[in-house]
Amino acid sequence: MDASDSSDTDATDAAAAAQRSPDHHRDRDRDHERDSDGILAEQLLRLTRRLHRIQSRQLEPIGITPAQFRLLRTVASYDAAPRMADLAQRLDVVPRAVTTLVDALEASGRVRRAPDPDSRRVVRIEITDEGRATLRSLRHARRAAAEEILAPLTAGQREVLGELLSALVDGMPERRC
């Protein structure tokens, strides 16, 4: 191929590019945006997994899993002892998952099942003194895990991240299990 063939090829490529419709550029831009969203989603997933690993490591000496910790915090957040169905709804999980978590927390003495005074068929979940003591210990572990993840960020960046995450969480449609 001589130099004139190369310049003819370049001219043909340039003419083809000039004839491409604006739709072609919009499609390319949309594909790039979708790819960016996919990369962002992957980063969020990786960060979530990393946080889970760090939190698990922090919670292990206390003898509780992150899911049990979340359930224990949720039980403690109610003014009156919640029903299992209340916990499943609040945690956005199937009721069977709550049963498994309550079983483990009850075995460790952190919660107890109690009959509902108004209905014999309803079981309420109460946090015990041991559960409250565990929560105090766990709050420190949770802060330590968050600090490890957030260490590279300045206070201002943490604030912005908090606002962005709130916007994402608050903007999510309700999901039913």
mmCIF file of all heavy atoms in Angstrom, residues 33 70 84 87 103 108 168 177:
data_model
loop_
_atom_site.group_PDB
_atom_site.id
_atom_site.type_symbol
_atom_site.label_atom_id
_atom_site.label_comp_id
_atom_site.label_asym_id
_atom_site.label_seq_id
_atom_site.Cartn_x
_atom_site.Cartn_y
_atom_site.Cartn_z
ATOM 1 N N GLU A 33 -22.674 5.975 29.025
ATOM 2 C CA GLU A 33 -23.337 6.245 30.311
ATOM 3 C C GLU A 33 -23.721 4.941 30.996
ATOM 4 O O GLU A 33 -23.532 4.789 32.196
ATOM 5 C CB GLU A 33 -24.587 7.102 30.109
ATOM 6 C CG GLU A 33 -24.291 8.539 29.783
ATOM 7 C CD GLU A 33 -25.553 9.321 29.424
ATOM 8 O OE1 GLU A 33 -26.667 8.881 29.779
ATOM 9 O OE2 GLU A 33 -25.404 10.370 28.774
ATOM 10 N N ARG A 70 -27.801 -6.730 62.935
ATOM 11 C CA ARG A 70 -28.858 -5.903 62.339
ATOM 12 C C ARG A 70 -30.214 -6.210 62.971
ATOM 13 O O ARG A 70 -30.987 -5.305 63.279
ATOM 14 C CB ARG A 70 -28.882 -6.152 60.827
ATOM 15 C CG ARG A 70 -29.817 -5.255 60.076
ATOM 16 C CD ARG A 70 -29.602 -5.408 58.564
ATOM 17 N NE ARG A 70 -30.607 -4.644 57.860
ATOM 18 C CZ ARG A 70 -31.368 -5.123 56.901
ATOM 19 N NH1 ARG A 70 -31.223 -6.363 56.497
ATOM 20 N NH2 ARG A 70 -32.273 -4.373 56.322
ATOM 21 N N MET A 84 -42.600 -11.112 64.866
ATOM 22 C CA MET A 84 -41.649 -11.603 63.858
ATOM 23 C C MET A 84 -41.967 -10.966 62.497
ATOM 24 O O MET A 84 -41.061 -10.581 61.770
ATOM 25 C CB MET A 84 -41.728 -13.129 63.744
ATOM 26 C CG MET A 84 -41.394 -13.838 65.034
ATOM 27 S SD MET A 84 -39.644 -14.063 65.239
ATOM 28 C CE MET A 84 -39.497 -15.728 64.671
ATOM 29 N N LEU A 87 -40.557 -7.524 62.187
ATOM 30 C CA LEU A 87 -39.111 -7.549 61.942
ATOM 31 C C LEU A 87 -38.796 -7.895 60.489
ATOM 32 O O LEU A 87 -37.937 -7.269 59.874
ATOM 33 C CB LEU A 87 -38.437 -8.542 62.890
ATOM 34 C CG LEU A 87 -38.479 -8.156 64.362
ATOM 35 C CD1 LEU A 87 -38.044 -9.328 65.242
ATOM 36 C CD2 LEU A 87 -37.635 -6.926 64.625
ATOM 37 N N ASP A 103 -33.687 -17.477 66.396
ATOM 38 C CA ASP A 103 -33.243 -18.730 67.025
ATOM 39 C C ASP A 103 -31.817 -18.601 67.556
ATOM 40 O O ASP A 103 -31.528 -18.972 68.694
ATOM 41 C CB ASP A 103 -33.305 -19.897 66.033
ATOM 42 C CG ASP A 103 -34.719 -20.353 65.706
ATOM 43 O OD1 ASP A 103 -35.675 -19.942 66.417
ATOM 44 O OD2 ASP A 103 -34.878 -21.106 64.719
ATOM 45 N N SER A 108 -28.219 -17.578 72.314
ATOM 46 C CA SER A 108 -27.113 -16.871 72.970
ATOM 47 C C SER A 108 -27.603 -15.978 74.120
ATOM 48 O O SER A 108 -26.799 -15.306 74.750
ATOM 49 C CB SER A 108 -26.335 -16.032 71.955
ATOM 50 O OG SER A 108 -27.138 -14.970 71.479
ATOM 51 N N LEU A 168 -29.999 7.899 47.360
ATOM 52 C CA LEU A 168 -30.207 6.602 46.725
ATOM 53 C C LEU A 168 -31.164 5.733 47.531
ATOM 54 O O LEU A 168 -32.081 5.117 46.986
ATOM 55 C CB LEU A 168 -28.871 5.871 46.544
ATOM 56 C CG LEU A 168 -27.925 6.440 45.501
ATOM 57 C CD1 LEU A 168 -26.579 5.733 45.560
ATOM 58 C CD2 LEU A 168 -28.527 6.337 44.113
ATOM 59 N N CYS A 177 -41.069 -8.793 49.784
ATOM 60 C CA CYS A 177 -40.515 -10.153 49.685
ATOM 61 C C CYS A 177 -41.625 -11.162 49.602
ATOM 62 O O CYS A 177 -42.656 -11.026 50.112
ATOM 63 C CB CYS A 177 -39.644 -10.465 50.906
ATOM 64 S SG CYS A 177 -38.150 -9.477 50.965
#
